[in-house]
Amino acid sequence: MEPTPSATDVVDPAQLEDEYGVRNYDPLPVVVSRGEGAWVEDVQGRRYFDALSAYSALNFGHRHPRLLAAARKQLDRLTLTSRAFRNDRLGEFCRRLAEAGSSDRVLPMNTGAEAVETAIKAARKWGYEVKGIAPGRAKIVVCRGNFHGRTTTIVSFSDDAPARASFGPYTPGFESIPFGDLAALEAALDDDTAGFLVEPIQGEAGVIIPPTGYLTGAQELCARANVLMIADEIQSGLGRTGRMWACDHEEVSPDLLLVGKALGGGIVPVSAVVGSTEVLGLFRPGQHGSTFGGNPLACAVALEVLDLLADGSLAQNAAALGERFLRSLEAASHSGVAGIRQRGLWIGVDIHDGTPTARTVCERLLEEGVLAKETQERTIRFAPPLTTSGDELDWLLERVNSVLAEL
Ligand code: PXG
């Protein structure tokens, strides 16, 4: 690796960002300049354990050697063609991801929000052309507390005030129901409903796990009402929860599966919609696309991502270490902790009212060498890389427990 320039050589990068960037984020006060595996180093050379993993985009840690090798090999051959021409990696990528998602076809995009937008278009198109919904009437049912991205259409059905306010007029055609409530879902599904869009575990809401049977029940209700079940696995998928997909915990196969974040191996943005020929086969040339979607560099990295997950051992590691994480925090029975939710290496820790905010706890963790991020006012979310070792987890737990003990 190139040596990191010393702090005195360069203008303070945080100051530059604040002066010339846009303040649409409120990052923790650390400037990261290198990373390897679960660890990053800041511009002063301090090491931190990355327990956020870029919201699951770094499921394999920083600069996984096999992902770097796959990217380098592809960089030396071909990076981009646009979809005006074919490239020699796209077909293989589509086949492998379709198989991993137990479905027929793959529509590649780049960011998660684009995969969500694509699924909304696909469901509406299917609703009009197959289900027979009257023109302009297609409805998509979504859940309260959802996070699916930040486009104008997606924030239209968000209930997160800062994400939504001042960005109207809002896109119509969505109905929001409580998450985890099958009776509400049954009541919302009607002849005009094309899709039910759901995170199998709500990430940004605080790693909210629905009641057992919710996903199976939702699949049954959708099938009965002739509605597409659309699972947003952009954050929950690709091994994070201890299985390849969070839907696997209930053996549910959604009609449309949305994949993103870790699919790009932390190197390039790669997202995709996986679905049946009946739905995705409806698209004709010119009806949807993206300059970068399906580019050969993205495909090469994503193929290596699928290879890394193929034998299930990383998901198993996530399941085992996640349970250890939970047991360790439970055994410590911190008085400041109100609740813990865990599925694989995805953990939400609620802190009691009256203690410092989750943000303050994340600032304390930072001082102890742990990068984690609050979600909502009172929840700290941990998502260490799936490649974390047992020793690394012990190191992390020691710091997390000592900070939580201060509450
Ligand atoms: N679906 C889910 C479940 C997500 O968590 C998206 C879609 C959108 O992905 P893109 O790639 O368009 O960001 C997400 C994103 C952030 C941020 O700062 C994003 C997410 C989580 C936390 C912060 O934009 N998840």
Side-chain angles (χ1 to χ4, degrees):
M1 274 194 295
E2 289 288 310
T4 304
S6 83
T8 48
D9 291 346
V10 290
V11 186
D12 176 16
Q15 202 185 321
L16 279 178
E17 189 184 318
D18 285 347
E19 198 173 335
Y20 294 103
V22 174
R23 298 201 185 186
N24 55 334
Y25 281 89
D26 182 21
L28 286 160
V30 57
V31 181
V32 175
S33 57
R34 52 209 291 181
E36 186 146 8
W39 301 87
V40 296
E41 205 178 286
D42 73 7
V43 284
Q44 273 96 34
R46 260 202 87 189
R47 259 160 70 85
Y48 304 81
F49 185 98
D50 183 353
L52 177 67
S53 304
Y55 307 102
S56 290
L58 289 163
N59 273 2
F60 316 99
H62 294 264
R63 301 170 54 251
H64 190 288
R66 278 178 52 186
L67 298 176
L68 288 187
R72 284 192 180 117
K73 199 166 153 202
Q74 190 60 41
L75 279 173
D76 285 340
R77 283 180 42 204
L78 180 73
T79 56
L80 183 65
T81 54
S82 84
R83 296 288 302 272
F85 315 110
R86 294 181 190 267
N87 76 66
D88 64 351
R89 309 309 307 270
L90 178 59
E92 178 67 357
F93 162 69
C94 291
R95 179 173 75 85
R96 291 283 308 285
L97 185 59
E99 281 169 9
S102 309
S103 197
D104 304 331
R105 288 177 188 277
V106 166
L107 204 170
M109 299 295 283
N110 313 284
T111 64
E114 287 173 298
V116 174
E117 289 277 352
T118 304
I120 292 167
K121 286 174 74 173
R124 285 180 175 174
K125 197 169 185 5
W126 173 88
Y128 296 124
E129 295 175 13
V130 178
K131 180 165 171 171
I133 297 172
R137 293 192 56 87
K139 177 175 95 176
I140 308 244
V141 177
V142 300
C143 291
R144 289 203 197 119
N146 70 69
F147 188 96
H148 296 288
R150 300 178 194 273
T151 65
T152 45
T153 287
I154 293 171
V155 299
S156 295
F157 56 83
S158 164
D159 43 27
D160 178 42
R164 204 183 130 85
S166 299
F167 300 124
Y170 302 111
T171 309
F174 299 94
E175 180 180 337
S176 191
I177 59 167
F179 180 61
D181 183 341
L182 286 174
L185 178 61
E186 187 167 20
L189 301 180
D190 59 23
D191 291 346
D192 286 341
T193 312
F196 170 49
L197 171 61
V198 64
E199 294 158 87
I201 294 175
Q202 286 192 329
E204 296 318 293
V207 192
I208 308 295
I209 303 169
T212 308
Y214 177 63
L215 298 174
T216 323
Q219 185 172 44
E220 279 165 19
L221 290 175
C222 286
R224 215 182 303 151
N226 196 23
V227 165
L228 301 178
M229 181 172 175
I230 308 164
D232 180 343
E233 294 248 21
I234 288 163
Q235 196 171 162
S236 61
L238 301 171
R240 171 56 55 196
T241 68
R243 304 287 297 267
M244 181 69 169
W245 312 110
C247 283
D248 290 348
H249 291 279
E250 295 199 15
E251 264 137 60
V252 159
S253 276
D255 298 293
L256 294 176
L257 170 72
L258 313 188
V259 195
K261 292 194 193 278
L263 191 58
I267 299 177
V268 277
V270 189
S271 70
V273 177
V274 185
S276 66
T277 297
E278 180 189 318
V279 182
L280 294 182
L282 295 172
F283 282 104
R284 293 285 163 267
Q287 294 177 341
H288 194 56
S290 149
T291 308
F292 295 100
N295 72 73
L297 179 61
C299 292
V301 173
L303 277 165
E304 196 63 29
V305 163
L306 294 173
D307 269 350
L308 280 174
L309 289 162
D311 71 359
S313 59
L314 282 174
Q316 273 165 27
N317 190 51
L321 293 195
E323 273 181 39
R324 245 168 85 182
F325 198 121
L326 176 70
R327 280 202 302 272
S328 168
L329 263 59
E330 280 178 348
S333 57
H334 301 290
S335 59
V337 169
I340 311 169
R341 292 169 299 279
Q342 172 266 340
R343 193 50 69 85
L345 270 175
W346 209 15
I347 301 108
V349 177
D350 293 340
I351 53 169
H352 276 302
D353 289 342
T355 53
T357 61
R359 168 76 182 200
T360 317
V361 176
C362 290
E363 284 163 3
R364 274 290 299 125
L365 286 166
L366 180 72
E367 285 167 9
E368 296 300 314
V370 172
L371 300 188
K373 186 75 171 77
E374 79 277 6
T375 178
Q376 315 296 321
E377 266 276 288
R378 313 223 63 86
T379 305
I380 306 141
R381 162 245 330 268
F382 296 97
L386 315 181
T387 50
T388 302
S389 71
D391 287 349
E392 287 173 326
L393 190 82
D394 291 341
W395 186 98
L396 173 66
L397 286 171
E398 215 180 296
R399 269 88 196 156
V400 170
N401 277 316
S402 91
V403 169
L404 291 177
E406 295 167 4
L407 295 175

